[in-house]
Amino acid sequence: MGRGKRNGKRYTRNERKKQHKRLGNYYIVTDAEKTEKLYFEGLKNSIPEKYKEHVTIQIENTEIKRLIALCKEKKALLANFCEPWIVFDRDRVEDFNKIIEKADKDKIHVGWSNPCFEIWMHAYFEKMPVSNDSIQCCKAFSKEYEKSVKKEYRKNEKDIYKILNDKGNEEAAIECAENRYKQYLRDTCKPSEMLGCTTVHLLVKEIKQALEKEPAN
């Protein structure tokens, strides 16, 4: 499929030139309707006004079996102007490793969390407890969140990204997650075996680095 829009029409020359000026065009698909989606909506809303035409983020959610297919559809429509990402947890996903392998084969980036997304948010407080269970992982984060934020953690907290940045440390979170990931890579390449680990930091880091660049006129 050529360079086209969702309605099937092709991009005009001016639209393609505008796409080239972008510092980043991220298309994120998650299987979660709350936490992950609200987190990235918050990240999107935090982008300074002068960057909004140059760093774009689109977030959608769908069922786990449709993550890669939806990303591939968008990638085909936008050609080389889209950075496709799927974001999901190990939790109860039986084909966790296979989904990641297939996404990699299809040139789709993956922000996975093991066992759940809360392990990434926990890194904002410079801690990543090792847990094999998503319920335990959520409980540990909830305890740290309540201690640091002075309020109960809710999965449908619409301001979760802002709260984490106000009460936590994003740079430290990226460093913490990166160190944990590198440590595991010395012994295994299977994400399912990397407990208390995530690659969501790779996506957040990339977006932040794009925002450090000066937009084209």
Side-chain angles (χ1 to χ4, degrees), residues 46-144:
S46 74
I47 295 175
E49 194 64 36
K50 71 174 183 176
Y51 287 96
K52 286 186 176 179
E53 288 188 3
H54 305 276
V55 178
T56 64
I57 301 175
Q58 301 175 67
I59 307 109
E60 292 190 42
N61 67 283
T62 187
E63 56 188 337
I64 190 76
K65 64 181 181 181
R66 280 276 298 155
L67 288 176
I68 294 176
L70 189 56
C71 248
K72 287 176 70 174
E73 290 170 13
K74 190 68 173 185
K75 184 180 177 183
L77 288 170
L78 294 178
N80 296 323
F81 306 128
C82 174
E83 284 285 341
W85 284 79
I86 60 172
V87 176
F88 74 113
D89 303 340
R90 192 207 76 200
D91 199 13
R92 300 179 183 85
V93 178
E94 293 182 2
D95 298 327
F96 185 64
N97 291 335
K98 289 183 179 180
I99 292 172
I100 296 169
E101 290 170 4
K102 184 174 183 348
D104 185 59
K105 182 178 179 181
D106 291 336
K107 293 181 169 49
I108 292 172
H109 306 290
V110 185
W112 55 261
S113 298
N114 184 359
C116 60
F117 190 75
E118 277 75 8
I119 194 62
W120 160 241
M121 297 195 294
H122 210 140
Y124 275 80
F125 304 110
E126 301 180 54
K127 298 176 183 178
M128 295 184 74
V130 175
S131 174
N132 187 44
D133 181 77
S134 60
I135 294 176
Q136 292 179 0
C137 183
C138 284
K139 284 183 177 179
F141 173 70
S142 296
K143 185 176 180 180
E144 183 64 39

